[in-house]
Amino acid sequence: MTTQPWSAADMPSMQGRTAVVTGATSGVGLATASALAQAGAHVVLAVRDTRRGQDAARSMTGSTEVRELDLADLASVRAFAQSWTGAIDVLVNNAGVAGGRGIRTKDGFDMQFGTNHLGHFALTNLVLPHVTDRVVTLSSGAHKAGDIHFDDLNLSQRRYSLPQAYGQSKLANLLFTLELQHRLEEVDSPVLSLAAHPGYAATNLGTQGRSKLLVSAVNLAGRLFAQTSEQGALPSLYAATQDLPGASYIGPDGRGELQGYPTMVGRSDKAADPELARRLWESSEELTGVGFGLEQR
């Protein structure tokens, strides 16, 4: 008997549930938010550009809301969290940037590390008292080439490498997922911390501000080899809705995890190192001024 691959049509009803999706104006984030809304969830698009967010919301079927959130600005992250009331059943830490050599966040962090990791670290912990079910954080196969440079997290004291910076941020996403699950279990919280990656999806990640020639090459490669954003969203949707062990990592089941249907996938030894995860968490607390969101319970 052949088992059919899992798709968005296999999602359970999300009626009566609230999902927050960061970076939901395009690509995998837009596809994730749209599928959750289609399944009945009230979806909050947490986005930097609210005009684009409204355009994205109008393209969806279901209950949606747009709220401003700039993950590259900790003041914006705090304002978003402070304005929140009610439950968040599912938080999808989807937003990400790739590229931006030498660009800093408003708080002075490397743009990739500051947005992809620190912004989501602060957001998750600040809203964690509202989360009832799970946190899904997006990583990437690029984490396997990453290292956490504790002596130079901004990568300002060495020759800057875009792949190195992106790899560090994506490794940080998996280490954050691991340590968050550990801390949730320590306080007997029912909330799950999970991770996902979309494989090679046709999005505009990493193309902003790049040369027209490079963008054209990326777009051509996307048309030839990449899967759609809707297919790339499946690991996030699977992690957001299926019965899974804490700290699970979901990605495509195809060759090299570039394409395919969602399944549990492996991670590098560094991404599974609990001591590395603990050290990164402590460094992230110092950098953001935000601690574990359930410590006071």
Side-chain angles (χ1 to χ4, degrees), residues 33 50 93 119 122 137 165 190 214 274:
T50 56
N93 291 325
T137 301
L214 177 60

Side-chain angles (χ1 to χ4, degrees), residues 145-176:
D147 286 293
I148 305 297
H149 300 279
F150 287 103
D151 61 335
D152 184 22
L153 289 171
N154 278 327
L155 305 178
S156 59
Q157 300 170 23
R158 64 191 70 221
R159 184 174 180 180
Y160 192 87
S161 160
L162 295 178
Q164 180 185 67
Y166 187 67
Q168 175 178 250
S169 73
K170 294 290 102 181
L171 174 58
N173 290 146
L174 281 174
L175 292 170
F176 166 66

Side-chain angles (χ1 to χ4, degrees), residues 140-255:
S140 164
H143 85 272
K144 295 175 182 177
D147 286 293
I148 305 297
H149 300 279
F150 287 103
D151 61 335
D152 184 22
L153 289 171
N154 278 327
L155 305 178
S156 59
Q157 300 170 23
R158 64 191 70 221
R159 184 174 180 180
Y160 192 87
S161 160
L162 295 178
Q164 180 185 67
Y166 187 67
Q168 175 178 250
S169 73
K170 294 290 102 181
L171 174 58
N173 290 146
L174 281 174
L175 292 170
F176 166 66
T177 298
L178 183 65
E179 181 64 10
L180 177 59
Q181 181 62 37
H182 171 69
R183 290 176 181 248
L184 289 167
E185 290 174 358
E186 279 194 325
V187 298
D188 295 321
S189 171
V191 175
L192 294 175
S193 172
L194 306 161
H197 82 84
Y200 181 23
T203 72
N204 61 3
L205 181 67
T207 61
Q208 295 91 336
R210 312 304 290 274
S211 71
K212 291 183 179 179
L213 180 61
L214 177 60
V215 172
S216 296
V218 169
N219 289 339
L220 176 60
R223 288 194 297 273
L224 292 176
F225 305 112
Q227 57 187 3
T228 65
S229 295
E230 287 72 22
Q231 189 79 14
L234 291 181
S236 298
L237 296 169
Y238 191 90
T241 62
Q242 300 302 292
D243 185 12
L244 295 165
S248 294
Y249 185 32
I250 308 301
D253 63 359
R255 180 177 296 180

Side-chain angles (χ1 to χ4, degrees), residues 9-297:
D10 298 308
M11 290 171 58
S13 171
M14 297 290 285
Q15 198 70 40
R17 293 166 67 79
T18 296
V20 175
V21 182
T22 68
T25 56
S26 64
V28 169
L30 173 60
T32 300
S34 183
L36 290 169
Q38 180 75 34
H42 174 67
V43 179
V44 177
L45 286 69
V47 299
R48 182 176 56 83
D49 186 336
T50 56
R51 182 190 59 78
R52 291 184 63 206
Q54 295 290 354
D55 290 342
R58 281 191 288 270
S59 74
M60 300 177 190
T61 300
S63 176
T64 60
E65 178 184 349
V66 177
R67 293 201 186 193
E68 183 176 1
L69 173 66
D70 184 353
L71 290 160
D73 180 359
L74 290 177
S76 175
V77 175
R78 289 182 182 278
F80 179 94
Q82 287 167 1
S83 70
W84 191 271
T85 58
I88 299 173
D89 295 287
V90 179
L91 170 63
V92 183
N93 291 325
N94 165 86
V97 296
R101 184 188 305 274
I103 299 177
R104 297 281 183 250
T105 69
K106 290 188 178 179
D107 303 282
F109 306 124
D110 170 70
M111 183 59 76
Q112 293 179 95
F113 187 73
T115 301
N116 299 353
H117 170 60
L118 291 177
H120 281 126
F121 174 90
L123 172 68
T124 300
N125 282 296
L126 288 169
V127 302
L128 199 55
H130 299 282
V131 178
T132 65
D133 186 3
R134 62 189 69 193
V135 177
V136 178
T137 301
L138 265 69
S139 183
S140 164
H143 85 272
K144 295 175 182 177
D147 286 293
I148 305 297
H149 300 279
F150 287 103
D151 61 335
D152 184 22
L153 289 171
N154 278 327
L155 305 178
S156 59
Q157 300 170 23
R158 64 191 70 221
R159 184 174 180 180
Y160 192 87
S161 160
L162 295 178
Q164 180 185 67
Y166 187 67
Q168 175 178 250
S169 73
K170 294 290 102 181
L171 174 58
N173 290 146
L174 281 174
L175 292 170
F176 166 66
T177 298
L178 183 65
E179 181 64 10
L180 177 59
Q181 181 62 37
H182 171 69
R183 290 176 181 248
L184 289 167
E185 290 174 358
E186 279 194 325
V187 298
D188 295 321
S189 171
V191 175
L192 294 175
S193 172
L194 306 161
H197 82 84
Y200 181 23
T203 72
N204 61 3
L205 181 67
T207 61
Q208 295 91 336
R210 312 304 290 274
S211 71
K212 291 183 179 179
L213 180 61
L214 177 60
V215 172
S216 296
V218 169
N219 289 339
L220 176 60
R223 288 194 297 273
L224 292 176
F225 305 112
Q227 57 187 3
T228 65
S229 295
E230 287 72 22
Q231 189 79 14
L234 291 181
S236 298
L237 296 169
Y238 191 90
T241 62
Q242 300 302 292
D243 185 12
L244 295 165
S248 294
Y249 185 32
I250 308 301
D253 63 359
R255 180 177 296 180
E257 298 174 18
L258 296 177
Q259 300 180 0
Y261 292 90
T263 189
M264 291 183 66
V265 295
R267 67 198 83 190
S268 69
D269 289 344
K270 283 176 285 190
D273 185 337
E275 177 59 21
L276 195 61
R278 182 193 62 78
R279 285 187 64 196
L280 177 63
W281 185 284
E282 292 174 352
S283 295
S284 302
E285 285 189 341
E286 292 176 7
L287 291 169
T288 63
V290 178
F292 178 49
L294 300 184
E295 256 173 353
Q296 315 222 329
R297 285 193 167 186

